[in-house]
Structures are given as structure tokens and as C-alpha cells.
Amino acid sequence: MHFTKLVALLSASFTVPALALEAFAYPCTNCKCNGATVVDIGPNEQSGCVNINVGFGPVAIGLSGSSLDKCTLFDSGDCSGINQVVGIHSGQTFGCTGSQIGSFGSISCASG
């Protein structure tokens, strides 16, 4: 019985933390406008590539999470081409970036 508890505790301590990050696509440059859409970046530590291109693409991305979270934004829909990195400042829980690369077509995020 004690061995089972020890195995459970050890396996729980090696669990990969989930990406506690939400992304929002805004149709304005400063994340202060209506019409933001939630970007489903997935629950994993590495989000892979998520296509966020809607029409001409969002012109600002807001991130809600921690300063350990970072995303790379791409002008294409397949995480290639011109890119821009965005994160959240230390001590903050929300970050916003306007596009410096035209519009955003895809996003890839990582925690830590």
C-alpha cells in the first residue's frame, strides 16, 4: 500500500505542467477594442502551430498567462515566414502586441 502511494506521488511530481495561457485576436492595434476572438492554442506545454488567420488576420494579440509564457506570431497560416515574438512582462498577467509584420496568420506558444 505504501509503495502504491509513493509511485503515485513520484509520477505526479514529474507531470508536465499545462500551458496556462489564453490568446485573444483583436481587430485593433492595442487590445482595447470590441470583437476579440479567443484563439484555441491548446492545453499542452508546446502548442504546435495554430492558424488564426481570419480574413485579413488580427492586428493585435492579447495574452493572458504568466511571464514564463511566450508565443511566436507568423504572417503565414502555417507558422513560417516573417515572425514576431510576444510575451508577458514580469509581474503582469496580460500582454498585448500590435502587428509589426502586417497581420498575424498563425501562432505557436510555449511555457517556461
Side-chain angles (χ1 to χ4, degrees):
M1 183 113 170
H2 294 290
F3 181 73
T4 306
K5 288 181 183 178
L6 178 62
V7 170
L9 286 173
L10 286 175
S11 61
S13 65
F14 291 109
T15 304
V16 176
L19 186 66
L21 176 66
E22 290 183 294
F24 306 90
Y26 289 85
C28 60
T29 60
N30 61 7
C31 299
K32 295 182 180 178
C33 59
N34 293 328
T37 57
V38 176
V39 178
D40 183 10
I41 56 175
N44 301 318
E45 185 174 338
Q46 298 279 350
S47 71
C49 181
V50 178
N51 185 314
I52 58 172
N53 201 4
V54 284
F56 290 105
V59 294
I61 294 291
L63 300 177
S64 177
S66 77
S67 59
L68 298 176
D69 301 319
K70 291 184 182 166
C71 296
T72 304
L73 303 158
F74 298 86
D75 66 340
S76 70
D78 62 356
C79 293
S80 65
I82 301 171
N83 63 69
Q84 174 180 339
V85 176
V86 60
I88 300 171
H89 291 291
S90 181
Q92 303 287 317
T93 58
F94 186 81
C96 177
T97 187
S99 176
Q100 299 169 2
I101 58 175
S103 64
F104 301 126
S106 54
I107 187 171
S108 178
C109 299
S111 183

